[in-house]
Amino acid sequence: MRISKGYWLWGLFSSKDTYLLNELKAKVQSKLVSPAFETHITLAGPYLYVDKGFINKLKNYGKSNSVIVLNVNGYDFEQQIFKSFYISIKNSKYLQELRKRMYELNKFDLENNYSPHISLSYGDHEIIEKKELISKLPELNKSIKMTKIALVKVDEKINLWKILKIFDLN
């Protein structure tokens, strides 16, 4: 069963990549209606609670770890509300290692078939709409820089995704 309320860790991007991704997300959401959310890649979670100790560990992690380059696979979609339309990201050894390190900081379901992606739209959209949209979107950059980790409070039932803290990667 999917846990829809808790805390997640998101990756955030360089200002240049964020700008380009937000422009792209706006184009997608002009065709596929979606609730508002920050552009991100989900890294870890859910956590049912977090404490100051975990927050301090995240801060130290950011100080001692470098920016990660994410390799883009392309546009994709599924018939799931929170994976309705997205940019697929290669599940690299760097992402796998980051998730293991996050697990060591505070346990979460590490075995949950991680499929890294950057959502462009949430919702219940028709497959035909998504296929048509892909054909009209620009070619993607081959890489995206993840420069920050965010601690996010989530309650999917009320479309709440609130960034609580942001930690810069070194």
Side-chain angles (χ1 to χ4, degrees):
M1 184 173 145
R2 180 179 172 90
I3 297 172
S4 63
K5 187 175 183 179
Y7 301 87
W8 271 258
L9 295 178
W10 287 357
L12 304 177
F13 314 107
S14 69
S15 54
K16 176 185 170 191
D17 286 334
T18 297
Y19 176 81
L20 294 171
L21 289 167
N22 284 341
E23 290 285 307
L24 186 57
K25 187 169 76 168
K27 285 180 188 174
V28 169
Q29 290 185 10
S30 73
K31 303 292 183 195
L32 303 175
V33 176
S34 172
F37 58 91
E38 294 291 325
T39 305
H40 69 280
I41 181 170
T42 300
L43 300 173
Y47 301 100
L48 298 180
Y49 68 92
V50 295
D51 58 20
K52 287 182 182 179
F54 179 54
I55 290 169
N56 286 333
K57 289 176 186 177
L58 287 173
K59 186 177 184 180
N60 291 332
Y61 180 88
K63 287 179 182 176
S64 60
N65 286 275
S66 301
V67 168
I68 295 175
V69 176
L70 304 172
N71 297 311
V72 173
N73 288 330
Y75 298 109
D76 207 348
F77 59 85
E78 295 181 25
Q79 290 305 101
Q80 295 181 41
I81 289 173
F82 297 108
K83 287 180 81 177
S84 183
F85 196 90
Y86 57 90
I87 297 169
S88 174
I89 301 296
K90 183 179 181 201
N91 195 359
S92 68
K93 68 178 183 175
Y94 300 107
L95 273 178
Q96 292 171 23
E97 184 61 30
L98 181 144
R99 284 177 47 81
K100 286 179 191 167
R101 300 272 307 278
M102 294 297 113
Y103 179 82
E104 291 166 5
L105 297 180
N106 195 358
K107 307 290 187 266
F108 64 95
D109 184 6
L110 189 61
E111 305 300 320
N112 70 350
N113 295 326
Y114 183 59
S115 173
H117 64 281
I118 300 169
S119 288
L120 299 175
S121 182
Y122 293 160
D124 185 16
H125 307 106
E126 297 295 323
I127 291 172
I128 190 82
E129 290 179 288
K130 297 178 203 183
K131 285 182 177 179
E132 188 177 309
L133 184 56
I134 287 175
S135 70
K136 294 179 180 179
L137 290 174
E139 190 172 316
L140 291 164
N141 292 338
K142 295 296 177 200
S143 64
I144 296 170
K145 286 185 184 175
M146 188 182 83
T147 59
K148 299 174 181 76
I149 293 175
L151 175 63
V152 183
K153 183 177 182 178
V154 174
D155 187 340
E156 293 172 347
K157 290 180 182 167
I158 61 170
N159 292 335
L160 173 73
W161 301 278
K162 182 178 180 180
I163 294 176
L164 301 176
K165 297 265 185 197
I166 295 175
F167 308 95
D168 289 326
L169 293 170
N170 211 356

